[in-house]
Each structure stands twice: as C-alpha cells, then as structure tokens.
Amino acid sequence: MAKEKIVLAYSGGLDTSVAIPWLKENYDAEVIAYTADLGQIKNKKIIHDKSLATGAQRFYLEDLREKFLKDFAFRALEASALYEGKYPLISALSRPLIAQRMVEVAREEQATALAHGATGKGNDQVRFELTFKALAPELKIIAPAREWEFKSREEEILYAKRKKIPISATKRSPYSIDRNLWGVSIECGILEEPWIEPPEDAYQMTISPKKAPDRERYIEISFAKGIPIKIDGKEYPPVALMEKLNKIGGENGIGRIDIVENRLIGIKSREVYEAPGAMILYNAHDALERLVLDRETFDHKRLIGERYGQLIYNGLWFSPEREALEKFIAETQKRVFGTVRLKFYKGNCIIVGRKSPYSLYQRNLATYSKKDLFDQKSAQGFIDLYGLPSKILGAMENRAE
Ligand code: ARG
C-alpha cells in the first residue's frame, strides 16, 4: 500500500504534537503540519522548529488574520450572532477557515488525508470534518484523539517522551486555551466545576474589573456598511483595529463571559471566554442598527442572526443556508454607517452616543417639548383599529359570564 500523506491541523500543543508520531506510526504516513496564525502566534520560529523536531515532514504557517476578520468574524458581527445569546463564536469561526486552507494545501501537496487533534466530545471535530467533507469529499479524515488509547495528558506525555519529541519545558497551563483575534476560549481544570468562580489566572486577555483604571475611558467607533473602520476618527485596517480594541477592552476588564453552553453532541459544558474587542464591537454595532434600521427589519434580523449563530456553532459554515442568510444580512447592512460613542469603566462597556447619515430618529416626532410635530389625535384612530380584536373579545367574554 502506498504511504499515506496527511495534512494535520497543528497548534504546537500537546495533543497535536503527539498526533505527529502517532499518525506516522499508526498510518505509516508522512505528516505535513499546518498552522494558521489567527493572532495567537507569538514566535514563528519556535513553532516551526518544534513541528519539524516532532517529525513533521513539512510545516506550513500562514498569516490568516485579516481573512479571518474580514470573511468570518465581521460576518458574525454584522449578523449580531451570539450562540445561545452569549458566545461570540471565537473558536467556531476559526475552524472552517483553518479547514478550508488545509484542503487547499492537501491538494497542492497531493495528500491523501486530513487530520485534526480535536476530541470526540467537542464541537471542533464537527466543524473541521464538515468543512473537509464539503470541500474535499474524496479525502480521508483521521481524528487521532478519537482513536488513540491515551487516557490522560500524563499518558500522552509518556508517549511523547518515548518518541523523543519535544514538549514544552515551560510549566503547562491547567486550562485548555484556544485564542485568536476575536477572543479566547478557556476550558478544563477547575473551570469544569460550574459553581466555582474562575480563578484570575484563567483569564488571558482582560484584567479584573476591580484592577481596571479608576477613570472612564471614552472612544468612538465608526462603521461603514456594518463593518468597523475607524477608532476616534482614525482609519484602521481590520487586524490593527482588533488589536487596539482588544488592548483597550482588556485594560478595562471588558468582555468576560462565563456560561454553561449546549454542545452540538449533547453535552453541557462550562465555558469561560474573553472577547474584549469583539464585545465592544457587538455593542457598538447594535447601537448603530437601532438608529438606522426600520422596526420590522431590525426585528426580523434578530431571528436571522440567532439562526446564523447556531449554524456557525454547529459547523455548517460551508452550507447553502449560510449563503442564503448572508444575503439577507448584507441587505440589512446597506445603511449601517455612522459613529458610536462608548464609555469603558471597570468592566462596563456603556453606549453614550450614536449618529448616522441614515438615522431614522426624528427629534421633532419624539420630543415632549414645544417643537413637537406629531399630531397626537391621530393616535386615537390607530388604537381604535389596533384594539378592535381586544374589544370584540372583551365584549364576548362579558356576555358569556
Ligand atoms: N465551546 C467552544 C466552542 O465550541 C470553545 C471550544 C474551544 N476549543 C478548544 N479546542 N479549546 O466553540
């Protein structure tokens, strides 16, 4: 049988490091390690050297930060998509992009299989594999962490030692951490106890609101077609914009999320997230939509956004439904231009002002002052008809008594 050639989603962490010798041993394979930089890579040389020292035949590191924001994260922002009303889809948005690029690399390399380090208990396996299936139905999929016999991290470490592969000398974090420019997902260790407050050392991007500065910080964010483009009047490309908002948000203790969520496979899990920049943007974008969208579109969009978030969470990025929903969402963003003013204070992200050339707000209708142009008498006819069913029902019930 010809040797298998496998493209592996590689993070440099323990699971994907162990996966390299494990795949070579169990599948008689050559392994190509693939890493996407989504803002989490601190040192390119270290991960490069490590992948080769671990036995990868070749190592790919691609800077996908801008693509991740433009084509994935900002789409979720436009849709106001939060899974189960809270989770800004940090990890969920990244998997289809990584998997898509892996497929392209596999084609260039004439690989025979794709592999990832996700376990059989989570959502990431679904996201990787649904993308693989949609884009490369002919390629084999291997999930070592679902197959191998290791029962604990200790057993993995023993195997790594036996295989003489480097594992980080630095003391390992007790948490499982998945980070990108949209935020960080933190799991495992004591966080598995939903009653226990997350220890401060679990947090990666934000300082405790208690330690945040004792003064208010104001900023202005401008949007064009639903996309953030300026901070305090100055233009920023996507990556620089996110880095800046993550920094300011983090310093002010903004964007910590602690929830029990429903995974696709049916298990509930306690999740801790931090998304300082993303939560600032969700808040600001929402404030602007409330100013420029008509009532019915705003209302309908909330349903579409909820559905869009579920679809991303459930690994269905590459699906006709996503494309169809995006058409609706794009249509709603046509007039989402303008600026929102926010105030940060000790973990709070407070909207204090909004303006737009497409504003539907009319002060002379809303006002209770002398400038009022609204004819209050016209409301009576409206209520007579709007209340007609209530009146008919009320009369019937009184008769029946
Ligand atoms: N529960 C989150 C999700 O499904 C976080 C996943 C984090 N992934 C990881 N490999 N640590 O999107």
Side-chain angles (χ1 to χ4, degrees), residues 87 91-92 95 123-124 127 176-178 185 187 261 269 271 273 313:
Y87 167 43
S91 303
R95 297 305 187 261
N123 300 309
D124 288 329
R127 298 166 183 153
S176 153
I177 291 166
D178 182 44
S185 305
E187 306 173 302
E261 85 188 17
S269 65
E271 302 280 333
Y273 301 111
Y313 188 86

Coordinates of all heavy atoms in Angstrom, one line a residue, residues 87 91-92 95 123-124 127 176-178 185 187 261 269 271 273 313, ligand 1:
Y87 N -22.3 33.7 23.3 CA -20.9 33.3 22.9 C -20.6 33.9 21.5 O -21.3 33.5 20.6 CB -20.8 31.8 23.0 CG -19.6 31.2 22.3 CD1 -18.3 31.7 22.4 CD2 -19.8 30.0 21.5 CE1 -17.3 31.2 21.8 CE2 -18.7 29.4 20.9 CZ -17.4 30.0 21.0 OH -16.4 29.4 20.4
S91 N -14.0 30.3 18.7 CA -13.4 29.1 18.2 C -14.2 28.6 16.9 O -13.6 28.1 16.0 CB -13.3 28.0 19.2 OG -12.6 28.4 20.3
A92 N -15.5 28.7 17.0 CA -16.4 28.2 16.0 C -16.1 28.9 14.6 O -16.2 28.3 13.6 CB -17.8 28.4 16.4
R95 N -12.5 27.5 12.8 CA -12.3 26.1 12.3 C -12.6 26.0 10.8 O -11.8 25.4 10.1 CB -13.1 25.1 13.1 CG -12.7 25.0 14.6 CD -11.2 24.7 14.7 NE -10.8 24.5 16.1 CZ -10.3 25.3 16.9 NH1 -10.1 26.6 16.5 NH2 -9.9 25.0 18.2
N123 N -17.2 20.3 19.8 CA -17.7 20.8 18.6 C -16.7 20.9 17.5 O -17.0 20.9 16.3 CB -18.2 22.2 18.8 CG -19.3 22.2 19.9 OD1 -20.3 21.5 19.8 ND2 -19.2 23.1 20.9
D124 N -15.4 21.1 17.9 CA -14.4 21.3 16.8 C -14.3 20.2 15.8 O -14.0 20.5 14.6 CB -13.1 21.7 17.5 CG -13.1 23.0 18.2 OD1 -13.8 23.9 17.7 OD2 -12.4 23.2 19.2
R127 N -16.8 20.8 13.2 CA -16.5 21.9 12.4 C -15.4 21.6 11.3 O -15.5 21.9 10.2 CB -16.1 23.1 13.2 CG -17.2 23.5 14.2 CD -16.7 24.5 15.2 NE -17.8 24.8 16.2 CZ -17.6 25.1 17.4 NH1 -16.3 25.2 17.9 NH2 -18.6 25.4 18.2
S176 N -7.3 24.5 29.0 CA -7.2 24.4 27.5 C -7.6 25.7 26.9 O -8.7 26.2 27.2 CB -8.1 23.3 27.1 OG -8.5 23.5 25.7
I177 N -6.7 26.2 26.1 CA -6.9 27.6 25.6 C -6.8 27.7 24.1 O -5.9 27.1 23.5 CB -5.7 28.5 26.2 CG1 -6.0 28.6 27.7 CG2 -5.7 29.9 25.6 CD1 -4.8 29.2 28.5
D178 N -7.9 28.3 23.5 CA -7.9 28.5 22.1 C -8.1 30.0 21.8 O -9.2 30.5 22.1 CB -9.0 27.7 21.5 CG -9.0 27.8 20.0 OD1 -8.0 27.7 19.3 OD2 -10.1 28.0 19.4
S185 N -11.1 31.1 24.1 CA -12.0 30.1 24.8 C -11.1 29.4 25.8 O -10.0 28.9 25.5 CB -12.5 29.1 23.8 OG -13.1 29.7 22.7
E187 N -11.1 26.4 28.8 CA -11.8 25.3 29.4 C -10.9 24.4 30.3 O -9.7 24.7 30.3 CB -12.3 24.3 28.2 CG -13.1 25.0 27.2 CD -13.4 24.1 26.0 OE1 -12.5 23.6 25.4 OE2 -14.6 23.9 25.7
E261 N -22.9 26.0 28.3 CA -23.5 26.0 27.0 C -23.8 24.6 26.5 O -23.2 23.6 27.0 CB -22.6 26.7 26.0 CG -21.5 25.9 25.4 CD -20.5 26.7 24.6 OE1 -20.4 27.9 24.7 OE2 -19.7 26.0 23.9
S269 N -21.4 22.1 28.8 CA -20.1 22.4 29.3 C -20.0 23.8 29.8 O -20.7 24.7 29.3 CB -19.0 22.1 28.3 OG -19.1 23.0 27.2
E271 N -18.1 27.1 30.1 CA -17.1 27.7 29.2 C -16.8 29.1 29.7 O -17.7 29.9 30.1 CB -17.6 27.9 27.8 CG -18.1 26.6 27.1 CD -16.9 25.8 26.6 OE1 -15.9 26.4 26.2 OE2 -17.0 24.6 26.5
Y273 N -15.0 32.6 28.4 CA -14.5 33.3 27.2 C -14.1 34.7 27.6 O -14.6 35.3 28.6 CB -15.6 33.4 26.2 CG -16.2 32.1 25.7 CD1 -17.5 31.7 26.0 CD2 -15.4 31.2 24.9 CE1 -18.0 30.6 25.6 CE2 -16.0 30.0 24.5 CZ -17.3 29.7 24.8 OH -17.8 28.5 24.4
Y313 N -22.0 27.7 14.9 CA -21.6 26.9 16.1 C -21.6 25.4 15.7 O -20.7 24.6 16.1 CB -22.6 27.1 17.2 CG -22.2 26.5 18.5 CD1 -21.3 27.1 19.4 CD2 -22.7 25.2 18.9 CE1 -20.9 26.5 20.6 CE2 -22.3 24.6 20.0 CZ -21.4 25.2 20.9 OH -21.1 24.6 22.1
Ligands
ARG1 N1 -17.1 25.6 23.4 C1 -16.4 26.5 22.5 C2 -16.8 26.1 21.1 O1 -17.3 25.0 20.9 C3 -14.9 26.5 22.7 C4 -14.1 25.4 22.1 C5 -12.7 25.6 22.4 N2 -11.9 24.7 21.6 C6 -10.7 24.2 22.0 N3 -10.1 23.4 21.2 N4 -10.2 24.5 23.2 O2 -16.7 26.9 20.2

